[in-house]
Amino acid sequence: MKKSKWLLLAVLGITLFGAGCQNKSQDTSKSGTSSEKSSKRRSSEKKTSSSEDKSAQSSESSTSSSSSKATADQSSSKASDSSQAPVTTSRLSQLNQQLSRLLVGEKLPQRVPVSAGKVLNISQTGNSRNYTVAYFASAQSVALNDASLAQQTAFATVQKKTYASASAAQQTINYQPTQAGLPTVDLGTGITATQEGAAGSSYTNWIEGRWSLAVRASNINGEDGVPLAKKAVQWLHTAMLPVPDVHGAVNLYVSSASTSRMNTVTWSKGSAVYLISASDPMVALQLATSLK
């Protein structure tokens, strides 16, 4: 009787233990399934998020590319417009083109400074053998050789005169060689000048190549010719005067109040003599060194 009782209890315990293990296994299985589903859901969400990020990046890249292309197109359009803009020719160039047809083969100044607020005008007389070209600073522009220019005073002229022979032409050049024994002054860039005085004036003289150069100053007015001489030397250090056959002469004045166009640059080529005159000494040099 006791054995049957213990046997029944043992069978009942085994049965209960098996049921517990089965329930635990089912719970574990359910938990694993839930974990897998959660993992899959997170993975799916991650892929969706990554796909959305890539899509956004692609959209931004496309927008940026379109913006860059639009900017490039605008720049290209502006560059194209700029390249098609008309090129304006200077007043001097326009007048020189007309003069070159009247004075065939002659060199003309490419630099003619005009005071602020004024316009350059030009008149011309003569032909390629003998001519005068006059330069005016006017209130308004007029045509070449306009009749109104006869009532104005030119601030500079370029002249050519042809003589019977080269020797006759050369005799008109006021070339002045420097004299020994006179006081000297350094003008810079390796140029040394001599100084002398006569009849209320002082002269600063020097030689550059085939040219003699002189600056005259008034002692009565307390003028000093050295600053102008140094300025001329500095200009000629980078700009070249024409090459004369034999000699050329430059005569400059510190003051031009008494006589208009007294500053001169003169040289000969064959039987022709060229003379540039200007009321301003540096203007005379600028015209002479820009002939082309």
Side-chain angles (χ1 to χ4, degrees):
M1 183 69 179
K2 289 182 178 179
K3 288 182 177 179
S4 298
K5 186 177 181 178
W6 283 110
L7 181 60
L8 180 61
L9 290 174
V11 170
L12 180 61
I14 290 170
T15 302
L16 291 174
F17 179 80
C21 289
Q22 183 177 3
N23 290 338
K24 185 176 181 180
S25 176
Q26 290 175 352
D27 293 340
T28 302
S29 176
K30 290 180 180 179
S31 175
T33 302
S34 176
S35 176
E36 289 176 359
K37 288 182 179 179
S38 176
S39 176
K40 288 180 180 179
R41 182 167 58 253
R42 286 197 300 270
S43 177
S44 176
E45 290 174 353
K46 186 175 180 181
K47 288 182 179 179
T48 302
S49 175
S50 176
S51 176
E52 290 176 352
D53 290 343
K54 288 182 180 180
S55 177
Q57 290 177 357
S58 177
S59 176
E60 290 176 357
S61 176
S62 177
T63 302
S64 176
S65 177
S66 298
S67 176
S68 299
K69 184 177 181 181
T71 301
D73 290 342
Q74 290 176 355
S75 298
S76 177
S77 176
K78 289 181 179 179
S80 177
D81 291 343
S82 176
S83 66
Q84 294 175 4
V87 179
T88 57
T89 306
S90 71
R91 175 72 175 159
L92 178 59
S93 296
Q94 292 175 354
L95 293 170
N96 276 347
Q97 288 176 7
Q98 298 175 52
L99 282 172
S100 63
R101 291 192 288 268
L102 300 172
L103 304 173
V104 179
E106 293 299 303
K107 294 182 178 181
L108 299 168
Q110 305 300 307
R111 183 185 179 95
V112 183
V114 177
S115 56
K118 298 294 183 178
V119 179
L120 177 67
N121 286 312
I122 297 177
S123 69
Q124 170 269 333
T125 58
N127 53 40
S128 297
R129 284 181 57 83
N130 300 280
Y131 62 78
T132 296
V133 178
Y135 297 86
F136 303 86
S138 308
Q140 60 184 11
S141 61
V142 296
L144 177 69
N145 292 329
D146 189 86
S148 64
L149 298 176
Q151 308 302 319
Q152 300 181 35
T153 300
F155 67 85
T157 61
V158 176
Q159 297 174 285
K160 176 185 178 181
K161 184 175 181 180
T162 302
Y163 290 81
S165 65
S167 59
Q170 183 57 40
Q171 289 176 11
T172 67
I173 306 301
N174 187 27
Y175 179 82
Q176 301 175 17
T178 55
Q179 299 180 28
L182 294 174
T184 61
V185 59
D186 182 11
L187 299 181
T189 66
I191 301 295
T192 300
T194 61
Q195 290 188 297
E196 61 178 318
S201 298
S202 62
Y203 297 86
T204 303
N205 303 286
W206 71 100
I207 301 295
E208 292 195 42
R210 300 179 183 181
W211 290 83
S212 71
L213 300 97
V215 172
R216 178 181 174 178
S218 171
N219 294 333
I220 299 174
N221 296 332
E223 296 173 350
D224 181 6
V226 174
L228 175 56
K230 288 184 175 180
K231 192 174 182 179
V233 166
Q234 187 62 39
W235 178 266
L236 296 175
H237 185 63
T238 57
M240 291 185 61
L241 289 165
V243 179
D245 283 347
V246 182
H247 291 302
V250 175
N251 290 279
L252 308 177
Y253 291 77
V254 175
S255 174
S256 59
S258 59
T259 306
S260 64
R261 302 193 304 277
M262 63 171 59
N263 300 281
T264 60
V265 180
T266 316
W267 71 102
S268 65
K269 292 291 288 184
S271 60
V273 172
Y274 293 88
L275 170 64
I276 293 178
S277 305
S279 56
D280 185 293
M282 294 307 298
V283 170
L285 289 180
Q286 289 178 51
L287 267 67
T289 55
S290 68
L291 294 171
K292 185 176 178 180

